[in-house]
């Protein structure tokens, strides 16, 4: 999302409507008649990269952001109105023309977000009757099997809005590895955490495989608190962690054991990094420095694109199936003024705006649900099988070294993708199929079934049903727009991995300090705690 820019000596402080995009072309673009400075960010000229533009830190005025923005939308709705009542009419009309598209885009995103949450509500609503299976003997195993079949039937409705309506596309340069997943039965996908929509990529991967596989997630405990879809994932049997190993360890083992006893295979989709750092946020920048220090302490080169993985607990997750461990690398590309395309000869990505950039790059973008609802988001994936025997529960050091080696490989892949638009010279690039008919038909059928139940079971007329649905939708739209708008402005980032997460994370951060995102207190909080202990002594 839009980040609050802190004043730094010797650096210009851009206002809400200024900034610079990272365009995936080697062409240098002039800004306000002044030639750009390619090497100002210390990473070389963008002419050396097919997927980057230099991020200048000089004091010249930067061109206004276009409709894309950097990781968020175009400012606030009231910015479209003049700040001065005496402003000339001509200037006012010009400002309205320039900012009206941004206001329209924000309203469009909030509308699509409300539609998607309404569909998620229907998914959650018809999932609830399955809970009665717990009342019969061995109901827990039967409930897990019933949830698997229910998800295969209704999940296309969840995927319809992001993939069929908004054009979210997933590419894979190693489709042979992806097709091996059903052969492993249960498996584990370890992915880099470069966005807040990794989970949607996992759902699409599972739905396109033959046979279709069930996908579960390993996420932080706050995810289960998110309205509607977070509750649904809690009922679905995902693993939710509190970031304390003495509590998370037994929870992981109990969850895996329950699925094995029920004889239900699934893919556990998780990001060992366990956190996302937003550009421009001071606490997140401090965490990046801690990760770099950790690598240096182990005589390793600091990662440029990724945070260090958290290896505690991974040896427990791999007990799910040590022979089915896959490592997934993701690079996200947004649509810019030109759409994202893939070269038929080289398989390289061209056009658009590269999101997956180095951690110290202020132009880095963290895609979330709102990025998808803007339209034109693409993700390019690379999948490789990891030897599971090196991640045994009996050798924590081996787990740590395996993860660090894997993340060094991923870091190099992301660097290659930034430079060439592809992970390797292999031209193979496979786009996961989007089953538009099935997705939209499932959405229509589940909505029609709900209306039929309301009419013939509850006795509501069709007119009453439509009126109540319309009122509920308007209330949901206004609630989401108001809470997200203000929470994004206060926290400095849009964090919509699920709807209403931005406002919930903002409130919890104020209550819990630095413990929410990174699993520990910030340096300021630690200093305060130390001072308190000394005062007590």
């Amino acid at each position: 999302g839009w980040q609050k820019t802190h004043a730094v000596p010797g650096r210009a402080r851009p206002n809400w409507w200024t900034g610079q995009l990272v365009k995936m072309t080697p062409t240098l673009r002039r800004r306000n008649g002044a030639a750009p400075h390619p090497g100002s960010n210390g990473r070389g000229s963008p002419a050396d990269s097919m997927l980057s533009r230099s991020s200048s830190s000089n004091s010249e005025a930067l061109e206004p952001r276009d409709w894309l923005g950097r990781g968020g939308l175009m400012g606030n709705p009231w910015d479209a109105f003049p700040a001065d009542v005496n402003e000339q009419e001509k200037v006012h009309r010009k400002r309205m023309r320039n900012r009206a598209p941004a206001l329209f885009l924000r309203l469009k995103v909030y509308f699509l977000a409300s539609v998607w949450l309404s569909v998620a509500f229907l998914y959650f609503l018809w999932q609830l009757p399955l809970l009665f299976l717990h009342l019969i003997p061995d109901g827990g195993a039967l409930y897990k099997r019933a949830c698997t079949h229910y998800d295969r039937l209704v999940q296309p409705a969840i995927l319809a809005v992001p993939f069929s309506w908004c054009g979210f596309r997933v590419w894979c340069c190693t489709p042979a590895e992806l097709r091996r997943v059903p052969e492993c039965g249960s498996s584990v996908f370890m992915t880099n955490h470069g966005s807040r929509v990794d989970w949607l990529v996992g759902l699409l991967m599972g739905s396109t495989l033959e046979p279709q596989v069930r996908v579960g997630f390993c996420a932080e405990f706050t995810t289960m608190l998110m309205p509607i879809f977070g509750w649904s994932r809690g009922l679905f049997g995902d693993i939710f962690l509190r970031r304390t190993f003495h509590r998370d360890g037994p929870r992981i083992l109990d969850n895996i054991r329950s699925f094995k006893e029920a004889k239900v295979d699934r893919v556990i989709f998780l990001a060992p990094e366990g956190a996302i750092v937003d550009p421009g946020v001071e606490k997140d920048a401090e965490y990046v420095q801690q990760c770099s220090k950790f690598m240096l302490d182990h005589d390793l080169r600091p990662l440029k694109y990724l945070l260090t993985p958290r290896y505690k607990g991974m040896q427990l997750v791999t007990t799910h199936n040590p022979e089915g461990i896959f490592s997934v690398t993701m690079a996200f590309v947004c649509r810019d003024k030109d759409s994202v395309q893939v070269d038929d000869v080289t398989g390289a990505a061209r056009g658009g705006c590269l999101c997956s950039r180095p951690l110290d790059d202020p132009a880095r973008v963290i895609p979330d649900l709102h990025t998808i609802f803007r339209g034109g988001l693409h993700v390019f994936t690379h999948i490789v099988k990891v030897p599971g025997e090196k991640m045994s529960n009996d050798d924590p050091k081996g787990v740590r070294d395996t993860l660090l080696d894997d993340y060094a490989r991923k870091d190099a892949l992301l660097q290659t993708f930034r430079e060439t638009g592809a992970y390797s010279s292999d031209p193979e690039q496979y786009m996961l199929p989007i089953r538009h008919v099935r997705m939209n038909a499932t959405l229509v059928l589940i909505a029609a079934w709900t209306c039929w139940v309301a009419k013939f079971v509850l006795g509501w007329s069709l007119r009453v049903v439509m009126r109540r649905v319309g009122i509920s939708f308007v209330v949901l739209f206004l609630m989401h727009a108001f809470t997200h708008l203000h929470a994004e402005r206060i926290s400095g980032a849009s964090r919509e991995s699920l709807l209403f997460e931005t406002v919930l994370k903002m409130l919890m951060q104020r209550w819990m300090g630095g413990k929410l995102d990174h699993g520990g207190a910030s340096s300021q909080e630690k200093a305060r705690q130390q001072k308190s202990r000394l005062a007590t002594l």
Side-chain angles (χ1 to χ4, degrees):
W2 286 92
Q3 309 299 333
K4 181 178 179 182
T5 306
H6 300 279
V8 179
R11 180 177 297 178
R13 178 174 181 173
N15 61 33
W16 194 259
W17 285 92
T18 60
Q20 184 181 18
L21 286 175
V22 183
K23 193 172 182 180
M24 297 172 58
T25 61
T27 306
L28 297 178
R29 195 167 85 185
R30 293 180 177 272
R31 301 169 298 174
N32 300 332
H37 300 271
S40 59
N41 61 354
R43 287 179 290 275
S45 168
D48 300 330
S49 170
M50 298 297 292
L51 291 163
S52 63
R53 182 192 296 170
S54 174
S55 175
S56 177
S57 61
N58 57 15
S59 58
E60 64 176 304
L62 302 179
E63 62 191 21
R65 299 179 191 268
D66 66 1
W67 69 274
L68 173 66
R70 185 189 57 76
L73 300 176
M74 291 290 294
N76 294 317
W78 53 79
D79 289 335
F81 298 94
D84 186 359
V85 295
N86 299 321
E87 189 173 26
Q88 296 181 1
E89 183 69 19
K90 182 178 180 180
V91 177
H92 173 48
R93 288 199 301 268
K94 183 178 180 180
R95 291 181 61 181
M96 290 292 290
R97 284 196 304 270
N98 291 340
R99 300 181 180 182
L103 177 61
F104 171 77
L105 179 64
R106 187 178 279 272
L107 294 176
K108 168 194 167 184
V109 168
Y110 287 151
F111 173 81
L112 291 173
S114 301
V115 171
W116 183 81
L117 190 60
S118 301
V119 177
F121 172 75
L122 298 181
Y123 180 97
F124 173 70
L125 178 66
W126 297 112
Q127 186 184 14
L128 292 176
L130 298 178
L131 293 174
F132 287 104
L133 294 175
H134 284 285
L135 301 178
I136 63 177
D138 196 27
L142 184 59
Y143 171 79
K144 287 180 173 60
R145 291 193 287 268
C147 280
T148 300
H149 294 292
Y150 172 79
D151 187 62
R152 290 178 180 176
L153 180 66
V154 186
Q155 186 194 89
I158 296 292
L159 304 179
V161 175
F163 291 100
S164 181
W165 295 17
C166 301
F168 187 20
R169 296 293 179 264
V170 180
W171 299 80
C172 181
C173 66
T174 53
E177 292 290 330
L178 181 61
R179 297 188 185 102
R180 293 175 59 188
V181 174
E183 302 173 1
C184 299
S186 295
S187 57
V188 177
F189 272 30
M190 303 185 303
T191 178
N192 60 304
H193 211 2
S195 80
R196 292 185 166 91
V197 290
D198 305 336
W199 64 276
L200 276 173
V201 179
L203 288 183
L204 185 68
M205 286 181 174
S207 67
T208 56
L209 292 173
E210 294 295 340
Q212 183 175 340
V213 299
R214 170 173 174 157
V215 179
F217 301 97
C218 190
E220 60 180 342
F221 183 78
T222 54
T223 302
M224 194 170 60
L225 304 179
M226 303 302 162
I228 310 301
F229 204 75
W231 305 338
S232 175
R233 298 309 305 184
L235 296 179
F236 198 65
D238 289 350
I239 304 174
F240 296 99
L241 307 178
R242 296 178 180 270
R243 303 182 187 275
T244 52
F245 186 70
H246 69 279
R247 289 186 294 183
D248 291 339
R251 182 179 293 110
I252 294 172
L253 292 176
D254 290 344
N255 185 283
I256 293 176
R257 182 172 57 252
S258 66
F259 275 84
K260 287 184 176 181
E261 293 174 352
K263 298 180 180 180
V264 175
D265 293 332
R266 61 172 174 169
V267 173
I268 296 181
F269 201 89
L270 77 159
E273 292 167 82
I276 293 179
V277 291
D278 293 289
V281 179
E282 183 179 358
K283 179 169 62 66
D284 291 351
E286 179 183 337
Y287 185 63
V288 172
Q289 294 176 359
Q290 294 173 4
C291 291
S292 299
K293 183 178 182 300
F294 175 85
M295 297 294 288
L296 292 173
D297 291 343
H298 290 80
D299 298 326
L300 298 172
R301 178 182 299 176
L303 300 174
K304 185 177 181 181
Y305 292 83
L306 306 172
L307 302 172
T308 52
R310 298 178 180 180
Y311 55 89
K312 271 192 175 182
M314 277 303 302
Q315 67 268 27
L316 303 181
V317 176
T318 55
T319 60
H320 188 54
N321 183 9
E323 302 301 322
I325 311 298
F326 293 85
S327 177
V328 184
T329 307
M330 297 186 187
F332 288 83
V333 183
C334 289
R335 183 182 66 190
D336 196 355
K337 293 181 179 178
D338 51 346
S339 59
V340 182
Q341 299 179 353
V342 175
D343 192 290
D344 295 333
V345 178
T346 64
R350 294 290 183 268
C353 169
L354 179 64
C355 301
S356 304
R357 297 180 56 80
L359 296 173
D360 61 348
D361 195 327
R364 183 167 54 93
V365 178
I366 308 296
D368 64 352
L369 284 175
H370 284 192
T371 314
I372 293 178
F373 296 145
R374 282 203 304 267
L377 180 64
H378 291 243
V379 57
F380 296 84
T381 64
H382 179 280
I383 304 175
V384 64
K385 203 167 185 294
V386 177
E389 61 273 7
K390 295 183 179 180
M391 304 185 70
S392 169
N393 190 21
D394 302 326
D395 186 14
K397 185 176 182 298
V399 176
R400 183 196 67 190
D401 294 342
T402 302
L403 281 177
L404 291 178
D405 292 343
D406 181 59
Y407 264 66
R409 182 188 58 82
K410 289 181 179 179
D411 204 65
L413 283 175
L414 290 174
Q415 176 66 29
T416 302
F417 186 87
R418 180 189 178 190
E419 294 174 352
T420 65
Y423 291 112
S424 65
S425 57
D426 188 353
E428 184 178 19
Q429 197 69 265
Y430 171 73
M431 187 180 76
L432 271 61
I434 307 298
R435 300 184 173 96
H436 297 277
V437 175
R438 182 184 176 189
M439 290 179 180
N440 290 281
T442 305
L443 191 154
V444 172
L445 287 176
I446 191 175
W449 168 255
T450 306
C451 291
W452 184 88
V453 170
K455 179 177 176 59
F456 293 99
V457 177
L458 300 180
W460 297 354
S461 66
L462 184 60
R463 186 174 182 178
V464 171
V465 171
M466 297 307 295
R467 184 172 68 248
R468 293 183 177 180
V469 168
I471 294 174
S472 302
F473 182 83
V474 171
V475 171
L476 177 62
F477 173 86
L478 295 176
M479 183 184 302
H480 176 57
F482 178 80
T483 56
H484 177 268
L485 192 67
H486 289 277
E488 181 186 24
R489 188 69 181 270
I490 294 172
S491 65
S494 177
R495 296 182 170 92
E496 297 294 291
S497 61
L498 295 175
L499 295 190
F500 296 103
E501 184 169 1
T502 302
V503 61
L504 183 61
K505 287 288 184 69
M506 182 269 294
L507 294 174
M508 295 187 71
Q509 279 181 338
R510 288 182 174 272
W511 293 335
M512 302 173 62
K515 297 180 181 180
L516 180 62
D517 289 336
H518 306 142
S522 62
S523 60
Q524 294 87 348
E525 179 66 16
K526 290 179 180 178
R528 187 191 66 79
Q529 294 174 358
Q530 179 68 14
K531 184 177 179 181
S532 176
R533 286 194 294 267
L534 291 175
T536 303
L537 292 175

